[in-house]
């Protein structure tokens, strides 16, 4: 399963593509789409969606995980963000992707164990979870990684914060046990 995580913004939109195979998560690509702030909204939308569509056509993700709506103090900013989110949803829906929304508090809780964690703490923890070096990466990109990672790891607490019931666990197969033993450095005879 390939998951696209999005932290939407009208100037800078963070994105991350993760591939989940069993319990393994591979980072395919992450970064930001940066639209020129001096351009009108329509041009910024076209830029962000065009860049996104190039990557959608390259990675063929199965799922979109996006940061949930928050209540902004500025109504105009909230409307602009709604346009960005809508354009992203349409591009992904046209490709048959599933969609899930994660409030910032749920993502912070899933990644750090603290729903009130700072963006910097989330960035440090997601880099540790994924085994990557962060560098001078914009926080929008690390937020997108965290959103995609949260979708890939549906912890019971995150599910309850979203108001969803956990699915019953599937019975572990012999092959899964063998894979785990080998992953942990053991051998099977």
């Amino acid at each position: 399963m390939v998951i696209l995580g999005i932290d939407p913004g009208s100037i800078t939109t963070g994105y991350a593509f993760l591939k989940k195979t069993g319990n393994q998560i591979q980072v395919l690509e992450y970064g930001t789409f940066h639209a020129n702030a001096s351009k009108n909204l329509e041009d910024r939308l076209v830029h962000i969606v065009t860049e996104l569509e190039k990557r959608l056509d390259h990675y063929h993700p199965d799922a979109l995980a996006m940061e949930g709506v928050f209540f902004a103090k500025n109504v105009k900013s909230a409307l602009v963000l709604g346009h960005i989110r809508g354009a992203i949803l349409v591009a992904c829906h046209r490709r048959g992707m599933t969609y899930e929304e994660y409030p910032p508090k749920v993502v912070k809780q899933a990644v750090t164990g603290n729903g009130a964690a700072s963006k910097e703490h989330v960035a440090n923890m997601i880099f540790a979870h994924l085994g990557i070096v962060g560098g001078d990466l914009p926080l929008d990109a690390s937020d997108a990684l965290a959103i995609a990672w949260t979708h890939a790891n549906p912890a019971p607490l995150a599910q309850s914060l979203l108001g969803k019931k956990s699915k019953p666990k599937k019975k572990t197969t012999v092959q899964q046990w063998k894979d785990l033993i080998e992953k942990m450095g053991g051998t099977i005879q």
Side-chain angles (χ1 to χ4, degrees), residues 32-131:
T32 58
F33 304 126
H34 187 75
N36 188 333
S38 66
K39 299 280 185 177
N40 62 34
L41 175 61
E42 301 84 46
D43 290 336
R44 293 190 315 237
L45 277 169
V46 167
H47 174 75
I48 290 168
V49 171
T50 300
E51 291 300 314
L52 175 62
E53 287 180 326
K54 289 176 191 174
R55 286 157 180 90
L56 291 174
D57 293 339
H58 178 75
Y59 293 112
H60 304 285
D62 303 291
L64 165 64
M66 192 165 11
E67 183 174 69
V69 178
F70 65 94
F71 296 100
K73 293 178 184 177
N74 182 329
V75 174
K76 184 177 179 184
S77 295
L79 283 171
V80 168
L81 185 58
H83 289 302
I84 301 294
R85 290 171 51 82
I88 291 168
L89 277 169
V90 167
C92 293
H93 183 72
R94 282 186 175 163
R95 287 163 175 81
M97 296 167 60
T98 62
Y99 172 68
E100 190 66 57
E101 196 173 282
Y102 295 92
K105 189 175 217 169
V106 170
V107 174
K108 291 175 180 184
Q109 178 69 40
V111 173
T112 70
N114 177 1
S118 69
K119 284 182 164 279
E120 293 78 13
H121 187 206
V122 171
N124 290 333
M125 288 300 293
I126 197 62
F127 295 146
H129 285 308
L130 295 170

